Amino acid sequence: MTEEQLKNIIEEQQRAGAPLSLLTQMRFAYELGLPEETYDLLIQTEDFELREWLRISLMEGIPLNEVRQYQTMNIKEIQTFRRRYFLKKENVEELKEIREQTEKKLQKLELLVDKTEPMERYIHVLLKQKDKMLDTCQKQLESLRRKTEKLEEQLELWQRLSEPSRQTFPLKEDKEELPPEPKALPSVLPEPEPIPWWAFCRRKKRRKETGIIAEYLKQSSWSREQMEFILECLEEHMTMEDIKQITGPEMEIEKMRLLKRMIQKDYRKEE
């Protein structure tokens, strides 16, 4: 068998999902010069230890037809079979030749193992790097997902603020209603009570502040927490001037709360 033929067999087994141990044993068989039938026998055998006994026995010179019987034996039966096989060999010279060939092949095998150890370490390092890269990619994807969700929330808030103000009260449906029955008017109508001056000023001031706060929120992109914080300050009767001093789209909510506490302390001192 040539190197190219071996390469084709290994690639075919890799596509079929063969374990790394089988591919390594096939490479050893090629380096030891075992017959071509050895590869089919190794592929047909699923157990790793049994494949090793097949390869070692062929390397020691046991005929292929004898080794095929290993597929129906367990490990103890294989060891017993090997002892009986070598005891049958009466020709001492033949045994000596077999030992010499075995020693040469073992030496060649040791050299091959020394060559494959760095490759195994390199594969192990590559597998570790692959796991780290997968972990890093997953973290980056999770971070990108969170950023995307945050941007979508900000875009939705910006779209709401960009829309023209709509009437908050539902429009009355145009329905034809019968005019109410006229009631008897009193002889003297009571004069309407005048609105107190202070109430009129407060109502006017509240409308002005509402318009200012609406314009203030439309000018920049605010987060939901920032807008809730501004409404909270208005409910606590803080002035618009103070709210503008402690808020801003670029400021963190914790910093805004800290500035609010400082202003409230100043209010208490003035009281």
Side-chain angles (χ1 to χ4, degrees), residues 9 34 49 82 90 98 127 160 177 181 192 232 257:
I9 293 175
L34 299 181
E49 191 173 359
R82 284 165 49 81
E90 298 179 356
I98 291 174
L127 291 175
R160 289 181 181 177
E177 297 181 359
E181 296 182 359
E232 179 184 334
R257 294 188 184 279

Side-chain angles (χ1 to χ4, degrees), residues 33-79:
L34 299 181
E36 294 186 8
E37 292 82 358
T38 305
Y39 304 103
D40 293 333
L41 190 59
L42 292 174
I43 293 172
Q44 295 169 5
T45 306
E46 295 182 358
D47 186 71
F48 168 78
E49 191 173 359
L50 182 57
R51 289 198 302 265
E52 281 295 288
W53 280 112
L54 290 170
R55 186 172 58 83
I56 292 172
S57 298
L58 290 171
M59 181 181 67
E60 291 175 338
I62 299 178
L64 182 63
N65 293 334
E66 300 288 341
V67 174
R68 288 184 186 276
Q69 302 178 29
Y70 288 5
Q71 293 181 322
T72 60
M73 303 179 184
N74 56 36
I75 302 302
K76 290 185 177 180
E77 290 173 345
I78 291 173
Q79 293 173 346

Side-chain angles (χ1 to χ4, degrees), residues 20 28 55 85 115 128 159 176 201 247 260:
L20 181 61
F28 286 169
R55 186 172 58 83
Y85 174 81
K115 291 180 181 179
K128 283 187 175 181
Q159 290 175 347
E176 295 183 0
C201 293
T247 60
K260 176 185 173 184

